[in-house]
């Protein structure tokens, strides 16, 4: 949610959908973090996915300010 300028219903939905996508698909650094052993791998992939989603939402709100009201 840090990537959004303000919290809205559409922003919450976009954040949730993007997070689930990155968490399930495990592209790039998310997959790398998931392959770590033990509890670190379990939590690290979620943290990395969350950081990627925050960055994605930030870029979307900068480039297209009216997409997520």
């Amino acid at each position: 949610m840090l990537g959004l300028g303000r919290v809205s219903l559409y922003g919450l939905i976009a954040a949730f959908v993007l997070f689930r996508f990155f968490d399930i698909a495990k592209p790039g650094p998310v997959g790398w973090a998931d392959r770590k052993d033990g509890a670190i791998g379990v939590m690290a992939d979620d943290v990395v996915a969350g950081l990627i989603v925050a960055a994605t939402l930030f870029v979307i709100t900068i480039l297209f300010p009216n997409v997520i009201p």
Side-chain angles (χ1 to χ4, degrees):
M1 299 307 302
L2 293 175
L4 295 173
R6 62 187 171 98
V7 178
S8 68
L9 179 60
Y10 295 115
L12 291 170
I13 292 170
F16 177 76
V17 169
L18 285 171
F19 177 78
R20 292 305 304 154
F21 169 75
F22 283 113
D23 192 39
I24 292 169
K26 301 204 185 305
V30 180
W32 171 80
D34 186 52
R35 290 188 294 273
K36 299 296 177 197
D37 292 330
I40 296 294
V42 172
M43 293 301 296
D45 75 320
D46 293 333
V47 171
V48 172
L51 291 172
I52 292 172
V53 170
T56 302
L57 289 173
F58 181 73
V59 169
I60 289 172
T61 57
I62 295 296
L63 295 177
F64 308 104
N66 296 324
V67 170
I68 301 175

